[in-house]
Amino acid sequence: LGRALDLGLPPGRQAAAYYYRGLAHADAGDFDQSVADFDAAIRLGFTSARAYGYRGSANAARGDYDLAIRDYDTAIRLDRRGAHYFAGRCWAMGKTEQFDRALADCNRAIELDAGLSAGYEGRALALESTGSVAAAEKDYRRALKLDPTSQTARDGLKRLASAEIGATTSTSIKKVTVPSRTRTGSFVRRNRPP
């Protein structure tokens, strides 16, 4: 795609080439270049909800949660039925400790797509962070049922189990630092909008 961009494509095709190259860079784990390519695609008119959603996921993957939230906001304005966008924003809200907003977004993601494990993972993390251990455990188990490869759900269940063991010496569950997403498989497949 890089050579195609050098050939002077018309802006519409150039925007699409940047978009697809952004997906390839994200899949390879090069999130800085991925964001740069999505920026170029959007600047050239590739302004679909997917472009903003994938850029939001790439921003979140590189730790820019405020930018991710803005991208997800735009994706949601463009596609109010995109469960992946709500789940992504939920995760970013959790990373910025906006747990009430995270819960609202995850609830909406689950309402739109009850088969989306990321909605349950994000909601479980927000619930765990606010001390709702039983509800968090239920959501982690649901996420694992939907996606048996979910390392996020496995890690959450381990944290909850160790917190129960430690509860005999402590009166409260310690505050949870929302981890980075730990999932296997391609970036594009994991973050695919409906």
Side-chain angles (χ1 to χ4, degrees):
L1 286 173
R3 295 183 90 202
L5 290 169
D6 294 335
L7 296 176
L9 294 172
R13 286 191 175 170
Q14 196 173 27
Y18 276 113
Y19 170 80
Y20 288 111
R21 191 172 77 172
L23 293 175
H25 281 298
D27 218 29
D30 186 354
F31 299 110
D32 290 333
Q33 186 58 54
S34 174
V35 168
D37 284 342
F38 289 130
D39 287 346
I42 289 167
R43 189 175 52 255
L44 290 168
F46 202 95
T47 57
S48 69
R50 286 183 182 209
Y52 286 101
Y54 280 127
R55 187 173 72 176
S57 295
N59 273 318
R62 66 184 196 163
D64 289 335
Y65 302 108
D66 290 330
L67 289 175
I69 290 167
R70 281 194 295 240
D71 282 335
Y72 290 128
D73 286 345
T74 302
I76 289 166
R77 270 195 308 277
L78 294 170
D79 179 5
R80 302 285 307 157
R81 308 236 7 112
H84 280 81
Y85 310 134
F86 284 98
R89 190 171 69 178
C90 166
W91 197 274
M93 293 286 186
K95 292 295 283 184
T96 58
E97 298 185 8
Q98 299 177 58
F99 299 117
D100 289 341
R101 291 184 67 195
L103 284 170
D105 276 351
C106 281
N107 287 336
R108 181 68 178 141
I110 292 166
E111 179 183 305
L112 291 169
D113 184 355
L116 181 64
S117 65
Y120 292 97
E121 291 168 352
R123 187 169 74 179
L125 282 163
L127 290 166
E128 180 182 356
S129 297
T130 59
S132 300
V133 176
E137 180 179 0
K138 182 179 177 183
D139 276 353
Y140 283 133
R141 291 193 187 286
R142 177 70 175 158
L144 266 179
K145 185 176 180 182
L146 293 168
D147 178 6
T149 67
S150 172
Q151 192 61 46
T152 299
R154 290 181 197 287
D155 291 345
L157 288 170
K158 285 179 189 174
R159 273 193 314 279
L160 292 178
S162 65
E164 287 176 11
I165 293 168
T168 58
T169 59
S170 174
T171 57
S172 66
I173 303 272
K174 60 186 169 197
K175 187 173 183 179
V176 174
T177 301
V178 177
S180 297
R181 286 192 181 191
T182 50
R183 299 166 71 115
T184 57
S186 84
F187 174 86
V188 174
R189 196 172 58 248
R190 286 191 324 266
N191 294 288
R192 179 168 317 188

